Amino acid sequence: MAAQEDKLKDVIGHAKEYGFVFPSSEIYDGLSATYDYGQLGAELKNNIKNYWWKAMVHMHENIVGLDAAIFMHPETWKASGHVDAFNDPLIDNKDSKKRYRADVLIEEHIEKIRGKINKDVAKGLKRFGDDFNEEEFRNTNPNVLRRAGEIKKIEDRMQDALVNEKLDDLKKLIEDLEIACPLSGSKNWTDVKQFNLMFSTELGSVSGESAKIYLRPETAQGIFVNYLNVQKSGGMKIPFGIAQIGKAFRNEIVARQFIFRMREFEQMEMQFFVRPGEEMKWYEHWKDFRIRWHKALGLGDDAYRFHDHLKMAHYANAAADIEFDFPMGFKELEGIHSRTDFDLKQHEQHSGKKLKYFDPEINDSYVPYVVETSIGLDRMFLAVMSKSLKNEKLEDGSERVVMSIPPALAPYKVGILPLTKKDGLPDVARKIMDDLKVDFNCQYNEKDTIGKRYRKADAIGTPFCVTVDHQTLEDNTVTIRDRDTMAQDRVAIADLHSIIDAKVSMRKLLKAGQA
Ligand code: ATP
């Protein structure tokens, strides 16, 4: 636990020191759960967006983009169910006065039991080595089975309480499990209450209920209300998708863990419209595509796992999360939801407008079913940063801090470094930069020793450094240093473009998604 907290602290410290993420309005001591992206953070964020947009929109002929407004007609949120049902069950500890999400407290308790199972498995592995059959052990070991049964019972009770809104049962479950406040250790809990997560404000100068509008809690509704506009104006045929990147706002009860859970955040969502009855096929398709998109980045296949939802959102008939191994453990990074025709039917009812699609292939009209992929951009940012940040021990006993950000996402692709400020070396370096910067984001740096400049480039994840020295003046060659291997090669200036492109281009990632 302590190691996890240290790791997150490292990431937060590094993010601030190098200009990735700052606390919002820091000179006023910041605003809780709100962050600003600095000069390098903005680049990394843009690169993640670009990877998502290219993979989802440009690589799919039947998916197009949209950029809808944050404000929407207030009836939208009644129709979508958010006014009535976008609630979290909250519970306060009377001694520490800390507020928690009741379901999160229970889930953390379940995680602890899971941790014990994993410990047993690790022990078995240590004892039996190569002969250890993990699957058999998990299916037969009495301790593991007892604990798995315990988890199942808790999950069933929680699901029943959440789905049927039995808030007293939720409290009873917390008491029965003897869950204590992580801060005070006390088990003195208030009743569980529902808390709506939408931020509201007022339109123009009118006040009162009639002028109340909401900051969108998800980008999806902007897509739903525009689906026929896009379908008709774009001549789209089902199945087709609409993708959008934009801000969303939620008044989260437990807003902590850095940019993992913020009150203002950004989503990358794609709604895929399909024929009724075909949604499960597409649900599986998008689960598969999205996990490939993630794994292509090379952060490690074991950093991801699927988690099927126990409590389905009010609109879904199937839902899974892609969880990522964050410094705080495995947590939701992306959701894939089969949203049925719930949203479009609701909008039909509330707006009085027909939202049916005429399918020429079957000569019939219907309200399409929707499969959604929804990923938090900020969580993706944290995933990339936390897995990439490493303290490496080098062969000579020294250490270096390196961020092995996937090259296609790195803020700068190349550092351009003249060995000295004299003898015309900066002029040559500038010329190289002028040529490379057309295609790659480059950083020019002539301060400090070359060793220090390499370390700085490593710390911000720059995949290549190009050093211009006196030999360059003689034979038009430079040294190119690789961030990951630290190998330095002498190459012709004329070859730089292709060497860099081979490593930093998004092409490889996009092709992997196609497989
Ligand atoms: P959680 O269970 O963690 O609250 P959720 O299931 O409510 O998340 P969704 O409504 O499925 O989340 O939203 C889709 C994605 O948006 C999530 O997978 C996550 O990456 C991102 N997201 C949701 N809430 C936040 C938040 N408060 N801060 C940052 N990202 C968020």
Side-chain angles (χ1 to χ4, degrees), residues 93 102-110 112 154 170 173-182 185-189:
N93 183 272
D103 56 330
V104 170
L105 282 178
I106 297 166
E107 260 158 21
E108 282 172 358
H109 182 86
I110 292 174
K112 275 189 199 148
I154 299 171
L170 216 49
L173 183 54
I174 288 174
E175 285 170 345
D176 289 352
L177 296 173
E178 299 190 2
I179 294 176
C181 164
S186 135
K187 295 171 194 158
N188 194 6
W189 296 107

Side-chain angles (χ1 to χ4, degrees), residues 86 88 101 103-104 107 197 217-218 248-250 252 254-255 258-269 309 315 321-322 331-337 339 372-380:
F86 195 51
D88 273 348
R101 258 172 65 176
D103 56 330
V104 170
E107 260 158 21
L197 298 182
E218 61 174 22
F249 304 82
R250 295 182 188 179
E252 299 280 2
V254 189
F258 195 36
I259 54 175
F260 180 82
R261 188 177 299 288
M262 300 197 286
R263 300 208 164 96
E264 172 183 344
F265 59 100
E266 218 161 331
Q267 289 185 314
M268 306 192 285
E269 294 198 306
H309 275 214
Y315 47 73
D321 295 338
I322 294 177
K331 302 256 179 222
E332 173 176 346
L333 169 61
E334 168 157 7
I336 295 135
H337 310 125
R339 290 181 78 131
E372 155 186 271
T373 72
S374 174
I375 172 170
L377 174 54
D378 313 270
R379 283 192 194 176
M380 188 61 202

